Amino acid sequence: MTAAEPTADVFYDTQPTVLLIGDRPSDLEAAADAIARAGMRTIGTVPLAEGATALAMRSGPDIVMLEATDVPPAVAERCLTAIDALVRDRDIDVVVTAGEADTDTIAATLFGPNVQHLCNPQLIDRITALQFAGGARGMRLHDSSRDADDRLRRLNDEVARFADTLARLAGDGGGRPRFGGQVRDTSRGFRAERMDSVATIDANVVRDTIRSRRMRAAHFPPDLFADPAWDMLLDLFAAELEGRQVSVSSLCIAAHVPGTTALRWIGSMVEAGLFERYADPADRRRAFISLAPAARAGMEGYFDAIRRAGLLPA
């Protein structure tokens, strides 16, 4: 045995393992390519209908990569519910790929801090998502992995900044815990009472704010002012004042960023306690997003403050 062989064995043993689940050959081929390029090892490829059984029979894997584009809602509910229960119980990271039309169906079943949603992804999107998941195990495989870690830290910092800003707008002082720069350092103590001023806030004023933001795209590149957290907060606040519910897919559209980016923001905002996700009581295959009490109070505080400053119509 040469000196290089033990090193190769150790590298192989420490590669994150991925169980690949899906039905469409083209998607499975793209996923397998991404897994290999991410420096990971596929330990099996199984159809969606057999995914939960295959997962239950294995001591691993480290990651489940699920290709779910164009999966019928009834099939998704039956198969993904079982997979969701297993990955939650065993704390397995999931990368799930779907099309825009599948967003609500998938988000109603698979959602949480261990799940990354990809919408019509390119190869680099799949690789980045896998390396996010691999990063939880201390992986540092390629430069793209470090870039992914940097992007995740920036997202965490942005969400934490929004949380603290909303807390201040809602008058949430007095020693309540702060977020400390990491989304996962959330505290349910981050709450604020509903303000009486909400009754004087007109949904049309919020919609006008949204329209004025969109008008910038006629004069500047749209991505120059990309601010998905604020766009989603405004949309949810306007919908609440109008008495409407907002689906995950609708909120992705309101974010005005690519679907994968919007889903990542939604997941982080839910985890941070700013958004709340709940099932449609009439159809369990669809999920809605609403403002959490802290975010609602912050939005009320913001619009109350700009009204008192004379920046809103009387």
Side-chain angles (χ1 to χ4, degrees):
M1 180 179 292
T2 67
E5 287 176 327
T7 303
D9 289 341
V10 170
F11 176 76
Y12 184 82
D13 289 341
T14 57
Q15 286 180 295
T17 56
V18 184
L19 176 63
L20 180 54
I21 301 174
D23 295 325
R24 300 203 317 184
S26 59
D27 292 342
L28 294 173
E29 182 179 351
D33 184 27
I35 292 168
R37 289 174 182 266
M40 300 179 182
R41 178 164 57 97
T42 302
I43 60 171
T45 302
V46 297
L48 180 60
E50 300 173 15
T53 301
L55 186 57
M57 293 175 62
R58 287 171 164 82
S59 58
D62 299 308
I63 301 167
V64 168
M65 191 159 198
L66 178 60
E67 297 295 321
T69 300
D70 292 336
V71 174
V75 175
E77 182 184 15
R78 181 177 67 253
C79 298
L80 299 187
T81 298
I83 292 173
D84 181 64
L86 286 165
V87 297
R88 286 177 182 272
D89 181 62
R90 294 160 63 178
D91 194 26
I92 296 174
D93 288 311
V94 180
V95 176
V96 56
T97 294
E100 291 181 2
D102 309 304
T103 299
D104 288 322
T105 300
I106 304 304
T109 307
L110 284 169
F111 207 90
N114 66 317
V115 180
Q116 293 183 70
H117 291 260
L118 304 182
C119 186
N120 297 325
Q122 301 296 316
L123 174 62
I124 188 59
D125 298 319
R126 283 187 166 95
I127 295 173
T128 298
L130 286 164
Q131 292 181 331
F132 272 147
R137 306 176 69 249
M139 294 296 299
R140 294 294 182 271
L141 296 173
H142 306 292
D143 289 342
S144 59
S145 177
R146 289 191 289 273
D147 291 342
D149 288 341
D150 289 342
R151 275 181 281 178
L152 183 58
R153 279 193 293 271
R154 287 197 296 271
L155 175 58
N156 284 343
D157 291 343
E158 280 292 292
V159 174
R161 179 177 64 81
F162 265 97
D164 281 344
T165 299
L166 289 172
R168 288 193 297 272
L169 288 169
D172 183 27
R176 284 185 177 169
R178 294 295 186 190
F179 278 78
Q182 285 293 326
V183 171
R184 297 180 190 275
D185 293 336
T186 58
S187 168
R188 291 301 175 186
F190 177 70
R191 297 289 183 186
E193 296 299 322
R194 190 176 181 86
M195 298 173 63
D196 293 337
S197 62
V198 69
T200 66
I201 300 174
D202 190 332
N204 290 328
V205 171
V206 184
R207 290 295 178 196
D208 285 344
T209 302
I210 296 172
R211 281 191 288 272
S212 69
R213 290 172 61 76
R214 298 283 72 80
M215 289 175 67
R216 296 178 305 190
H219 307 282
F220 298 96
D223 57 352
L224 183 63
F225 300 109
D227 196 356
W230 186 236
D231 285 324
M232 290 188 288
L233 284 163
L234 286 168
D235 188 71
L236 288 174
F237 190 48
E240 181 168 308
L241 294 172
E242 295 162 346
R244 295 190 305 101
Q245 294 176 307
V246 179
S247 67
V248 173
S249 59
S250 176
L251 192 57
C252 286
I253 294 171
H256 289 271
V257 290
T260 295
T261 302
L263 287 164
R264 187 174 296 134
W265 271 98
I266 292 171
S268 294
M269 298 287 272
V270 169
E271 191 181 351
L274 297 175
F275 293 170
E276 292 181 343
R277 169 181 166 270
Y278 60 98
D280 181 352
D283 186 352
R284 292 187 304 169
R285 294 169 298 186
R286 182 167 62 171
F288 293 120
I289 301 292
S290 66
L291 293 175
R296 182 187 306 116
M299 295 302 288
E300 293 166 5
Y302 167 75
F303 278 94
D304 182 64
I306 62 174
R307 183 186 60 240
R308 286 187 283 106
L311 300 177
L312 285 182

